Amino acid sequence: MPKTGIIYHDDYLKHETGGHPERKERLIATMGLLKKSKALEKLMCITPKRATTEQIGWVHDAPYIEMIQALCQSGGGMLDPDTVLSQDSYEVAVLAAGGVINAVEAVMNDLKSVFALIRPPGHHAEASHGMGFCIFNNVAIATRYAQKQYKVKKILIVDWDVHHGNGTQNIFYDDASVLYFSIHQSPFYPGTGSMDEIGADDGKGFTVNVPLPGGIGDAGYVYVFNEILIPIALEFRPELVLISAGQDAHFADPIGGMSLTAEGFGHIAGIVRSIANSTCKGRIVAALEGGYDLSALPYSVLSILNAFGDLGIDIKEPMPVPSALKDEVSSRVRQRVKEVKEAQKEYWGVL
Ligand SMILES: [Zn+2]
């Protein structure tokens, strides 16, 4: 029986956004490649169920949830200048949150790792407002579910989307039971995620931000994961790992500019897998966030699943890799790692 799975439902295509970068073709192309590469045959495919209003309410304010429902019932509209709602968007957003909940359920029972191929994404969504293509914070809701349903005491959230996950950070900012680690491009949307944002009150040290200049590439990411994420995560010892898996750091992405390759996503997924193997029986849930190039996203997701489930697939880039991509760690990355360690060393003995 496969130990790695995916969450997918055709209803995720019903969140209609027109010509917006966050569009249904992202999932159509990704599922297409999973079929074509025969990865799908080696994965457990799980059909998600809707989250309940109560579950959404663990993270979001009731008036906000009601406003989204009402706006969709009246035909949809713009939630903010970046975020489109169509008639079915409320139902799809509830199914997206439910998908990550079902992924947690699966890894707490039979499976080791699950990638939830959901949309709309979630990590920018705050308790009382959506933004940046996000309606409900899927990963935050699933984190609360793991705490309530399975009494999981310590959860690590790794957010490798090219944007900072302001919503997730704020929801758990004073919470020592959730370690939020984000590596992101800076300066960039949404403008949060400086390395001085380390958490508040009991949660100090449990928010770890690594903002980086564009173009640092695979080697830079692997260096940051090795130098900061691995030591802190091993000291924290999570009982479950969630990933805000946005693949908009790929070199071909029209929005992000971090110059990762699909193979590079496999490397960082492998690092997170090794953390989960040594701390929490390999339990990992990855939830789709960004990733907007319709060729790069499917290959990046395939590469991540390959790393999670030892699928034995030879990962190729879907387009030529620019010769200018860095295969070494720049001095700016080394300097930033030093600064982040300095900002966090009071809270982590290992640093
Ligand atoms: Zn993003």
Side-chain angles (χ1 to χ4, degrees):
M1 203 177 94
K3 285 288 172 194
T4 297
I6 59 161
I7 298 275
Y8 177 75
H9 199 298
D10 279 339
D11 283 357
Y12 290 140
L13 310 179
K14 291 183 177 169
H15 171 51
E16 293 285 353
T17 56
H20 192 282
E22 199 296 283
R23 56 195 193 265
K24 63 184 173 192
E25 285 78 8
R26 301 170 64 228
L27 290 191
I28 296 170
T30 303
M31 287 302 288
L33 181 66
L34 295 185
K35 279 186 197 129
K36 195 178 132 197
S37 64
K38 303 198 188 307
L40 212 52
E41 299 166 10
K42 301 171 187 165
L43 298 166
M44 183 69 75
C45 296
I46 303 166
T47 304
K49 296 185 193 75
R50 306 165 80 250
T52 63
T53 309
E54 187 197 346
Q55 289 167 337
I56 305 279
W58 292 336
V59 164
H60 295 285
D61 302 340
Y64 171 65
I65 303 171
E66 287 158 18
M67 183 273 284
I68 297 292
Q69 195 167 15
L71 193 56
C72 292
Q73 270 166 5
S74 69
M78 297 301 285
L79 194 53
D80 80 349
D82 298 317
T83 315
V84 188
L85 292 182
S86 63
Q87 191 155 16
D88 292 323
S89 295
Y90 174 78
E91 289 299 324
V92 181
V94 163
L95 190 63
V100 190
I101 285 175
N102 296 152
V104 166
E105 220 167 23
V107 302
M108 295 308 293
N109 290 293
D110 317 316
L111 298 189
K112 274 194 184 276
S113 44
V114 174
F115 198 123
L117 280 169
I118 55 165
R119 61 186 286 275
H123 74 153
H124 295 305
E126 304 264 1
S128 61
H129 65 275
M131 57 184 270
F133 318 168
C134 302
I135 300 173
F136 297 136
N137 197 312
N138 308 309
V139 164
I141 293 163
T143 299
R144 291 284 183 235
Y145 176 76
Q147 292 171 328
K148 287 173 191 289
Q149 183 69 24
Y150 297 103
K151 312 292 175 217
V152 176
K153 289 187 191 68
K154 290 196 280 182
I155 297 174
L156 166 64
I157 300 174
V158 177
D159 187 336
W160 70 47
D161 187 280
V162 79
H163 303 96
H164 179 245
N166 57 290
T168 314
Q169 170 173 301
N170 287 336
I171 288 159
F172 301 111
Y173 205 54
D174 59 0
D175 188 340
S177 68
V178 178
L179 171 57
Y180 176 72
F181 169 89
S182 177
I183 179 167
H184 48 269
Q185 190 169 344
S186 173
F188 212 45
Y189 182 88
T192 50
S194 82
M195 58 191 173
D196 305 327
E197 293 166 25
I198 57 162
D201 305 325
D202 291 346
K204 271 192 181 163
F206 294 91
T207 292
V208 179
N209 282 308
V210 188
L212 293 162
I216 72 158
D218 295 348
Y221 267 61
V222 169
Y223 181 75
V224 169
F225 275 56
N226 283 336
E227 288 288 319
I228 298 174
L229 179 62
I230 292 180
I232 290 180
L234 294 183
E235 186 171 334
F236 179 64
R237 299 204 67 77
E239 294 160 40
L240 172 67
V241 180
L242 276 80
I243 303 173
S244 265
Q247 282 64 249
D248 39 8
H250 190 276
F251 68 83
D253 196 89
I255 295 182
M258 289 311 254
S259 306
L260 260 72
T261 63
E263 197 187 357
F265 279 107
H267 288 156
I268 59 175
I271 292 174
V272 178
R273 183 189 173 186
S274 70
I275 291 170
N277 278 343
S278 57
T279 57
C280 55
K281 300 179 188 160
R283 288 173 177 150
I284 303 177
V285 167
L288 183 64
E289 301 279 1
Y292 303 103
D293 183 88
L294 296 179
S295 301
L297 175 64
Y299 279 87
S300 301
V301 171
L302 178 64
S303 181
I304 293 162
L305 282 165
N306 201 33
F308 284 170
D310 294 321
L311 305 185
I313 294 168
D314 186 21
I315 299 297
K316 295 183 182 75
E317 297 301 317
M319 67 280 290
V321 181
S323 57
L325 282 200
K326 290 196 180 65
D327 54 6
E328 55 190 50
V329 183
S330 72
S331 58
R332 292 172 79 189
V333 175
R334 290 179 196 277
Q335 181 58 29
R336 181 45 51 93
V337 162
K338 267 190 202 149
E339 291 163 354
V340 172
K341 285 182 177 174
E342 196 57 38
Q344 295 285 347
K345 70 176 187 195
E346 194 181 323
Y347 310 101
W348 301 101
V350 71
L351 300 180

